[in-house]
């Protein structure tokens, strides 16, 4: 065994046999020595990245940074080191599970397990099987999978225990047996087999105590409390006792993630026994803990991922606020509940934003102070969203703590707040699929009328006399065609008399105050590409040239390369216009792209990474340009979000595949109004209403005019 292999073994031995503080100190020393060795033998560079990622997770729970390091380890993997490959894949499985990415976690487990079996490594085999079980039962609890996965998860834990029982009973093996019993108890709990769950947790606790791991005993205590919680009123005292004992240990040992989950569970138990003050206190503590942890994450994906995990805590807290008559606090929590990754990145890329605003969401009072008198803000919030492919499964089959499926409406004026329960399950609004024609799902007159009745009718009196309506969708409502909703008079919500409709990511993002430091662009740059073959467009390039001529701007069209010219010049322009094919990738939304030329695309990720805009407006006159994948933290992932993060003050985009002839006509109307001095939202409203009235109603169907929406980031233009 050479020195590199000795260091690898020493690192794992340290992690298996030491407490947390000692693991970090000793592991860091071993890593430093390994990095030095890798300078002479590059085959060990991958191990150094892997160990650095493990230490980042252990020391500060920064999952995004850990994942970046693990992926560097994959890229640096030497073909002669299958163990490095498999352990890196397992590390990625763990980090994906921590961020609710169950399918990715399972995929990494499936890649690593055959390698571990071939190498005959019982610890790694059992660990991988345990994470197979974790991904399956946690995915089930969060609504990603159907009930059938629970039996598969139970089989995985059983196989893991068989492997471990047959191995030499080292400290490492015994510790893993303890954790596997914990996972087995969780599966029993998901199956509502409470007695078997408690028996498994007690096995976990007994083995952990035998190993002398004081801090780790808190985990089975919490799990036992959850099981008693589920078993009903007769076991309430047992549940509180287990929760209290576990919480003290979590705090003593600094286990913040577990503390959040326990506080939320205890709050629900207090609510069940009628102690609303105690429930609210625990929810407040949990949410403060969530946000404190989140500020320590170094990447957007880690921040958004953790808030997604904490979403249920916010859901329950908001519903409790409304139940006890605290609507203002409910609104404040709604703003805090939305993923602040968008807000954080706006601040990070915009030094002109006030430091105070960049650091926290706005309260209701602060929003109202900044809301114009002629504007109505309508902020929707959905709870209990189930993103399972098997949506026929009832909520009763989910964990008891799963929030009720509700759609809440917060209507905010300069002087008032109205909160309405829409009486609509958000799960009924999930599109059948995101990869293609979602456009017709909501466009029948019956559905449009029903949605207006549920989502707008209760606040329609507040809309009267308003110049602008700011809509903040949430969850599945991001896919709702608000402009096309049919009012009681049979006319669309978007009409010639107004109000203008503007969409935004959150009230806080919209009302961030900015100083006029950013350089303003001038003129318009239009890019157009018709494409080729069966999907060839006929009017895209002509549209780009016509818009450029109308505004006195520049156009780049045809088959030639456009990306480098765009990257070099984009920051100079006030307006950017894209007339081309676009597509949305639901499995990897930041891979969604605009097609610029035969061999050239511009992805959402490239926009975020490479574009620095000074544009007041970006128009994406492209198929599916406005579609985004909504993560549990309500973080929109797609092209619109990318351009806003790149610096655009506003983005016009489409919610579904558009007809190119009607699009060309609408865009000409839109820019004519813009050049006459209209505000962008007003210009879009006028263009849409004129399109549906022209040519004897040829384009009256909302399919032609309703997909166009305008999003605002709240920046000064």
């Amino acid at each position: 065994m050479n020195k590199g292999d000795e260091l690898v073994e020493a690192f794992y031995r340290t992690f298996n046999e030491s407490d947390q503080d000692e693991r970090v100190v000793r592991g860091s020393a071993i890593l430093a020595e390994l990095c030095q060795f890798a300078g002479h033998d590059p085959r060990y560079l991958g191990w150094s990245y892997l160990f650095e990622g493990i230490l980042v997770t252990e020391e500060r729970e920064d999952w995004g940074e850990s994942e970046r390091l693990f992926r560097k380890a994959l890229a640096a993997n030497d073909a002669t080191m299958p163990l490095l490959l498999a352990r890196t894949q397992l590390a990625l499985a763990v980090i994906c599970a921590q961020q609710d990415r169950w399918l990715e976690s399972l995929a990494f487990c499936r890649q690593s397990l055959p390698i571990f079996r071939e190498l005959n490594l019982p610890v790694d085999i059992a660990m991988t099987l345990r994470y197979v079980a974790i991904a399956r039962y946690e995915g089930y609890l969060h609504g990603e999978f159907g009930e059938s996965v629970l039996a598969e998860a139970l089989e995985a834990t059983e196989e893991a225990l068989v492997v471990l029982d047959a191995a030499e009973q080292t400290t490492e093996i015994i510790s893993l047996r303890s954790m596997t019993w914990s996972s087995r108890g969780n599966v029993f709990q998901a199956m509502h087999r409470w007695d078997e769950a408690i028996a498994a947790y007690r096995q976990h606790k007994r083995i952990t105590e035998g190993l002398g791991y004081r801090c780790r005993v808190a985990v089975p205590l919490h799990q036992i409390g959850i099981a008693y919680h589920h078993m009903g009123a007769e076991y309430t005292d047992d549940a509180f006792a287990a929760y209290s004992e576990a919480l003290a240990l979590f705090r003593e040992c600094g286990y913040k993630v577990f503390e959040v989950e326990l506080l939320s569970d205890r709050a629900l138990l207090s609510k069940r026994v009628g102690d609303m003050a105690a429930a609210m206190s625990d929810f407040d503590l949990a949410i403060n803990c969530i946000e404190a942890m989140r500020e320590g994450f170094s990447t957007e994906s880690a921040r958004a991922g953790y808030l997604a995990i904490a979403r249920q805590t916010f859901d329950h807290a908001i519903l409790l606020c409304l139940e006890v008559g605290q609507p203002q606090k409910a609104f404040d929590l709604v703003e805090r509940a939305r993923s602040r990754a968008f807000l954080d990145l706006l601040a990070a890329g915009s030094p002109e934003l006030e430091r105070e605003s960049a650091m926290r969401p706005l309260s209701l009072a602060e929003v109202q102070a900044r809301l114009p008198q002629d504007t109505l803000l309508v902020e929707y919030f959905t709870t209990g969203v189930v993103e399972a492919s098997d949506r026929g499964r009832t909520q009763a089959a989910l964990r008891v703590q799963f929030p009720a499926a509700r759609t809440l409406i917060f209507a905010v004026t300069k002087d008032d707040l109205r909160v309405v329960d829409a009486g609509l399950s958000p799960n009924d609004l999930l599109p059948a699929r995101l990869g293609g024609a979602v456009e017709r799902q909501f466009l029948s007159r019956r559905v449009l009328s029903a949605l207006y009745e549920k989502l707008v009718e209760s606040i329609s009196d507040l809309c009267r006399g308003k110049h602008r309506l700011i809509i903040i969708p949430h969850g599945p409502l991001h896919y709702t065609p608000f402009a096309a909703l049919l009012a009681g008079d049979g006319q669309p919500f978007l009409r010639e008399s107004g109000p203008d409709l503007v969409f935004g990511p959150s009230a806080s993002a919209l009302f961030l105050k900015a100083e006029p430091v950013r350089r303003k662009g001038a003129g318009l740059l239009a890019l157009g590409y018709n494409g080729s073959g069966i999907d060839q467009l006929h009017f895209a390039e002509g549209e780009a040239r016509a818009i450029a001529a109308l505004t006195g701007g520049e156009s780049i069209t045809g088959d030639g390369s456009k990306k480098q010219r765009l990257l070099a010049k984009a920051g100079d322009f006030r307006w950017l216009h894209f007339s081309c094919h676009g597509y949305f990738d639901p499995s990897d939304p930041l891979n969604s792209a605009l097609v610029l030329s035969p061999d050239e695309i511009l992805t959402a990720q490239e926009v975020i990474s490479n574009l620095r805009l000074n544009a007041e407006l970006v128009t994406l006159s492209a198929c599916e340009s406005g579609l985004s994948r909504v993560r549990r933290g309500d973080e929109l992932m797609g092209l619109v979000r990318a351009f806003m993060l790149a610096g655009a003050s506003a983005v016009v985009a489409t919610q579904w595949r558009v007809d190119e002839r009607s699009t060309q006509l609408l865009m000409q109307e839109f820019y004519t109004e813009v050049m006459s001095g209209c505000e962008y939202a007003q210009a879009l409203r006028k263009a849409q209403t004129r399109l549906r009235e022209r040519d004897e109603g040829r384009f009256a169907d909302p399919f032609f005019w309703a997909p166009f929406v305008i999003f605002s980031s709240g920046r000064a233009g």
Side-chain angles (χ1 to χ4, degrees):
M1 181 182 295
N2 65 28
K3 184 178 180 180
D5 292 336
E6 290 174 355
L7 290 170
V8 169
E9 286 203 2
F11 185 90
Y12 282 111
R13 189 165 55 250
T14 294
F15 262 70
N16 292 325
E17 298 177 359
S18 308
D19 62 24
Q20 185 178 23
D21 291 339
E22 189 178 0
R23 284 199 298 270
V24 172
V25 173
R26 292 176 60 188
S28 297
I30 295 169
L31 173 61
E33 195 172 351
L34 182 63
C35 289
Q36 187 176 10
F37 181 81
H40 303 289
D41 189 342
R43 294 180 304 157
Y44 289 86
L45 186 61
W47 284 112
S48 67
Y49 290 136
L50 174 60
F51 292 166
E52 185 180 356
I54 291 171
L55 287 169
V56 166
T57 301
E58 188 75 12
E59 192 169 12
R60 60 180 189 268
E61 295 181 326
D62 188 339
W63 301 324
E65 176 64 10
S66 296
E67 182 175 351
R68 185 185 68 82
L69 289 163
F70 295 155
R71 292 190 181 277
K72 285 184 71 174
L74 275 185
N77 180 61
D78 188 279
T80 64
M81 291 189 169
L83 181 58
L84 170 60
L85 173 62
R87 285 192 173 163
T88 304
Q89 290 166 337
L90 178 56
L92 283 163
V94 173
I95 218 73
C96 287
Q98 294 281 12
Q99 298 178 69
D100 275 15
R101 291 154 55 189
W102 315 117
L103 283 172
E104 291 175 79
S105 181
L106 281 172
F108 282 120
C109 286
R110 290 188 181 115
Q111 291 172 40
S112 63
L113 190 56
I115 301 174
F116 290 140
R117 291 191 194 279
E118 184 175 346
L119 296 173
N120 193 28
L121 297 171
V123 170
D124 297 278
I125 293 169
M127 180 69 78
T128 307
L129 287 167
R130 177 172 172 261
Y131 269 94
V132 167
I134 288 171
R136 291 196 181 283
Y137 73 71
E138 287 287 357
Y140 165 77
L141 293 179
H142 288 83
E144 292 285 350
F145 304 137
E147 197 168 354
S148 63
V149 301
L150 295 178
E152 298 167 7
L154 203 59
E155 289 175 9
T157 62
E158 186 172 359
E159 183 182 352
L161 287 171
V162 169
V163 170
L164 293 170
D165 289 343
E168 181 183 354
Q169 296 303 294
T170 63
T171 299
E172 183 180 12
I173 292 289
I174 295 170
S175 178
L176 187 51
R177 281 180 59 233
S178 171
M179 292 186 290
T180 304
W181 274 111
S182 172
S183 298
R184 189 165 175 82
N186 289 343
V187 179
F188 280 130
Q189 179 176 277
M191 300 171 82
H192 294 188
R193 291 159 62 173
W194 310 120
D195 290 336
E196 290 167 288
I198 290 174
Y201 294 145
R202 285 178 174 156
Q203 282 276 50
H204 177 200
K205 181 174 178 289
R206 179 186 62 79
I207 297 171
T208 302
E209 288 173 333
L211 290 167
Y213 296 154
R214 172 176 168 75
C215 288
R216 297 185 193 179
V217 172
V219 174
L221 282 170
H222 182 195
Q223 292 166 322
I224 289 169
I226 292 172
Y228 279 131
H229 186 159
H230 282 287
M231 291 173 72
E234 183 181 350
Y235 298 92
T236 297
D237 290 343
D238 297 297
F240 272 125
Y243 282 159
S244 296
E245 190 176 353
L247 181 60
L249 283 172
F250 285 149
R251 286 174 170 168
E252 176 186 331
C253 301
Y255 290 176
K256 291 294 185 183
V257 174
F258 296 117
E259 183 180 342
V260 168
E261 295 177 357
L262 190 148
L263 285 167
S264 182
D265 288 335
R266 193 172 71 173
L268 290 169
L269 186 58
S270 294
K271 180 175 180 290
R272 191 175 75 184
V273 300
D275 191 345
M276 301 303 187
M280 188 65 73
S281 176
D282 275 347
F283 279 134
D284 286 341
L285 289 171
I287 289 169
N288 289 338
C289 196
I290 288 166
E291 294 190 333
M293 288 182 62
R294 208 172 158 270
E295 289 171 4
F297 293 148
S298 64
T299 67
E300 171 198 4
S301 62
R303 285 191 297 267
Y306 186 64
L307 194 58
I309 292 172
R311 168 71 189 274
Q312 288 187 24
T313 298
F314 277 104
D315 284 4
H316 282 300
I318 289 162
L319 293 173
L320 178 61
C321 284
L322 296 177
E323 188 175 338
V324 299
Q326 297 183 27
Q328 294 88 353
K329 182 172 182 176
F331 178 87
D332 293 346
L333 286 177
V334 163
E335 277 294 300
R336 293 170 69 183
R338 293 177 181 275
S339 174
R340 277 182 46 194
F342 185 92
L343 194 60
D344 296 342
L345 285 183
L346 277 179
S350 305
E352 73 272 16
L353 292 178
E354 291 182 347
R355 174 61 58 184
E356 180 184 1
S357 295
M359 291 302 292
R360 61 174 179 80
L362 301 179
S363 67
L364 174 64
E366 290 169 320
V367 169
Q368 288 178 313
R370 304 179 188 203
L371 189 67
Q373 193 72 46
D374 64 352
T375 300
L376 173 66
L377 172 73
V378 183
E379 183 152 2
Y380 293 90
F381 192 78
T382 59
T383 65
V385 176
V386 179
E387 296 183 17
S389 56
D390 178 15
R391 295 197 180 103
R393 180 159 51 93
T394 64
Q395 183 177 308
L398 295 171
R399 59 184 297 184
V400 171
Q401 291 100 325
F402 201 79
R406 307 267 288 277
T407 300
L408 305 174
I409 308 171
F410 293 80
V412 183
T413 66
K414 186 75 173 174
D415 308 306
D416 197 14
L417 167 68
R418 180 184 298 177
V419 184
V420 179
D421 187 334
L424 179 67
S425 169
N427 296 307
D428 293 336
L429 300 176
L430 289 164
R433 61 193 183 100
L434 284 176
V438 302
E439 60 267 19
R440 287 295 181 186
Q441 180 170 340
F442 298 116
L443 293 187
S444 74
R445 292 187 65 85
R446 179 184 61 81
V447 171
L448 292 172
S449 296
L451 288 176
Y452 182 90
E453 181 182 349
K454 294 290 187 182
L455 299 175
V456 181
E457 181 62 44
S458 61
I459 57 167
S460 59
D461 59 309
L462 300 178
C463 297
R464 286 194 286 272
K466 297 299 183 186
H467 169 68
R468 174 167 294 186
L469 177 60
I470 299 174
I471 297 174
I472 314 290
H474 189 254
L477 291 175
H478 284 289
Y479 310 122
T480 301
F482 279 91
L485 301 186
L486 290 177
D489 60 4
Q491 296 301 308
F493 187 30
L494 183 82
R495 53 187 68 192
E496 187 174 355
S497 59
D500 300 333
L501 302 184
V502 178
F503 293 79
S506 72
S508 297
L510 282 167
F511 293 111
L512 281 175
K513 188 177 179 182
E515 299 172 2
V517 174
R518 189 179 66 175
R519 175 172 65 90
K520 290 187 177 182
L524 176 140
L525 174 64
L527 287 84
Y529 175 54
N530 284 338
S532 60
I534 192 171
D535 294 324
Q536 182 174 357
L537 300 172
H538 300 286
F539 303 109
E541 294 179 20
E543 176 187 313
R545 289 190 292 268
I547 297 303
L550 179 62
T551 60
E554 301 177 30
S555 64
I556 306 174
T557 61
D559 292 350
S561 175
K562 301 177 184 66
K563 185 186 293 188
Q564 291 308 312
R565 295 166 70 185
L566 171 67
L567 296 178
K569 301 179 61 155
D572 298 335
F573 291 92
R574 181 183 182 188
W575 302 314
L576 289 176
H577 182 95
F578 295 85
S579 179
C580 55
H581 270 305
Y583 62 82
F584 174 65
D585 183 346
S587 62
D588 184 6
L590 292 184
N591 195 45
S592 302
L594 300 171
V595 182
L596 303 182
S597 65
D599 301 308
E600 197 172 56
I601 63 172
L602 180 68
T603 68
Q605 184 61 66
E606 289 176 311
V607 171
I608 294 172
S609 301
N610 301 324
L611 277 183
R612 295 295 178 266
L613 302 180
N614 297 294
E616 290 181 12
L617 175 71
V618 173
T619 301
L620 306 178
S621 179
C623 301
E624 301 180 345
S625 59
L627 272 179
S628 297
R629 179 66 177 239
V630 184
R631 298 179 64 175
R632 276 196 185 79
D634 201 51
E635 174 64 357
L636 282 171
M637 310 289 280
L639 283 163
V640 168
R641 174 181 165 282
F643 276 100
M644 292 171 81
L645 291 176
S649 298
V651 179
V652 171
T654 58
Q655 287 184 296
W656 58 75
R657 296 182 301 182
V658 291
D659 173 82
E660 60 169 319
R661 177 56 180 159
S662 60
T663 297
Q664 184 183 39
L665 295 171
L666 183 141
M667 286 300 163
Q668 289 174 351
E669 290 278 5
F670 172 67
Y671 281 102
T672 297
E673 293 296 334
V674 168
M675 295 303 292
S676 74
C678 273
E679 296 177 343
Y680 300 132
Q682 183 183 31
L684 183 60
R685 173 176 57 81
K686 288 184 175 182
Q688 288 175 293
T689 55
R690 287 175 186 165
L691 177 65
R692 73 186 184 213
E693 292 167 0
R694 68 177 293 156
D695 297 345
E696 298 181 344
R698 175 184 174 186
F699 302 111
D701 189 317
F703 170 80
F704 295 106
W705 60 265
F708 297 93
V709 290
I710 185 164
F711 299 84
S712 174
S713 69
R715 292 200 188 159

